[in-house]
Amino acid sequence: MSDAGAGVTGLVVVDKEAGWTSHDVVARCRRIFGQRRVGHAGTLDPDATGVLLVGLGRATRLLRFLTALPKTYTTDIVLGTATATLDASGVVLATYDMSHVTPADVAAAAAGLTGEIEQVPPMVSAVKVGGRRLHELAREGVEVERAARRVTVSRFATAPDPERPGVYRAEVVCSSGTYIRVLAEDLGQALGGGAHVANLRRTRIGSFGAADMHQLDAIGPDRVLTAAQGMRDLDAVTVDAATAASIRTGLPLDRVPLGAVGDGPWAMLDEAGELLAVYEATGSDRIRPAVVLAGSAGSAASAGSAGR
């Protein structure tokens, strides 16, 4: 879809390669689509690969709804070695003899880290403390206190690698804000030693997975999802022309006549299936706009007129 003055509006699902930062991917998409208004939902570490959702044009205003979606990761957890970055790229800080640890031990420890847990963000994260990102401080050799955060781990499944003793293949389904490398570190400590991650890959954000992903070299206007497709994980409400006109002006609405059930947010669609806005609950029977696209949403096919 195309936006006057904003270029293409929509979503592309990038299969990020190792060695790229999330910012690198955004910069590349800016060049591909010839526009500045580009952003991403959910940072991936440079060494990690997999799903990175990139918003274009006015769809950048919708990214917060994508960031909140649950995420799925696969990774190798290497027992017996703790590193400064909690992954394979870091300096080794300590080694442990964990040859006595069994698959049953690992599964039990993983079960103890499932559910609602607290995590302390690692010093190599992008979290800001005192206006500085932690990874910037870490590069300067500075370590600061970090407040623990509550996250939810819905699934933490492990299986031993038959060819690499002490290495466990893991799949994690978790809430936004969960650090897989911290989960591995906590697992190692729970087993009486240390651990780090390798080959971290994000395989899914909400419903966006392998079938949606494209390498950066294959990204172009024909790969753009519409704003409506980008909000497909939200409950959708289709409205008539009169209500659509009210939505375009940003008016609150009565949820009951609309059939807006649940807690929201809701993707508000016109009769053609185009996204008009995303509405949120207010604690009453009224719902209010969080983001209004002002009828700018169009079809992904029209994005083909945008230049690289």
Side-chain angles (χ1 to χ4, degrees):
M1 70 195 65
S2 194
D3 253 9
V8 178
T9 287
L11 180 76
V12 289
V13 186
V14 177
D15 185 355
K16 190 187 86 64
E17 301 175 21
W20 287 69
T21 67
S22 299
H23 180 74
D24 290 338
V25 174
V26 167
R28 177 67 176 274
C29 287
R30 284 176 176 148
R31 293 195 295 271
I32 290 172
F33 293 99
Q35 64 190 62
R36 293 289 303 167
R37 199 169 183 181
V38 179
H40 70 82
T43 301
L44 270 179
D45 297 328
D47 286 347
T49 65
V51 179
L52 185 68
L53 301 181
V54 178
L56 309 170
R58 291 187 179 182
T60 57
R61 299 168 62 202
L62 302 169
L63 290 174
R64 63 186 177 98
F65 302 108
L66 299 172
T67 300
L69 295 175
K71 298 168 176 65
T72 302
Y73 297 86
T74 59
T75 192
D76 293 332
I77 298 179
V78 183
L79 300 183
T81 307
T83 74
T85 57
L86 312 184
D87 64 13
S89 68
V91 175
V92 174
L93 298 179
T95 58
Y96 306 86
D97 179 6
M98 300 180 69
S99 58
H100 62 285
V101 174
T102 68
D105 295 331
V106 175
L113 293 167
T114 303
E116 192 173 278
I117 63 173
E118 289 197 342
Q119 280 193 333
V120 176
M123 281 301 302
V124 289
S125 70
V127 171
K128 284 187 176 181
V129 173
R132 298 285 305 280
R133 295 197 182 278
L134 290 177
H135 63 73
E136 295 173 348
L137 296 171
R139 283 197 295 269
E140 297 170 5
V142 177
E143 183 165 350
V144 296
E145 290 291 325
R146 291 95 69 197
R149 299 178 171 191
R150 297 199 73 79
V151 298
T152 300
V153 178
S154 303
R155 173 179 168 81
F156 189 2
T158 60
D161 188 319
E163 298 181 356
R164 294 179 295 170
V167 177
Y168 284 77
R169 192 65 176 162
E171 182 181 68
V172 178
V173 180
C174 56
S175 64
S176 178
T178 304
Y179 291 96
I180 306 304
R181 63 174 78 191
V182 173
L183 203 59
E185 178 188 43
D186 291 344
L187 181 74
Q189 292 176 351
L191 292 166
H196 68 270
V197 299
N199 303 316
L200 178 62
R201 181 169 178 79
R202 186 157 64 197
T203 59
R204 183 169 290 273
I205 297 179
S207 67
F208 299 95
D212 306 289
M213 287 191 290
H214 305 284
Q215 295 285 329
L216 263 177
D217 289 343
I219 292 292
D222 60 328
R223 304 297 191 187
V224 179
L225 302 177
T226 66
Q229 290 169 328
M231 294 293 100
R232 70 192 191 193
D233 287 335
L234 303 187
D235 290 331
V237 177
T238 300
V239 301
D240 59 24
T243 306
S246 296
I247 289 174
R248 289 188 179 95
T249 60
L251 292 178
L253 300 170
D254 291 323
R255 61 183 293 174
V256 176
L258 293 172
V261 298
D263 298 325
W266 299 272
M268 310 300 288
L269 309 177
D270 67 13
E271 292 173 322
E274 295 181 356
L275 183 72
L276 299 168
V278 174
Y279 271 57
E280 293 180 318
T282 64
S284 69
D285 285 339
R286 301 280 280 174
I287 59 176
R288 64 188 175 195
V291 175
V292 177
L293 296 189
S296 64
S299 66
S302 67
S305 60
R308 283 181 174 269

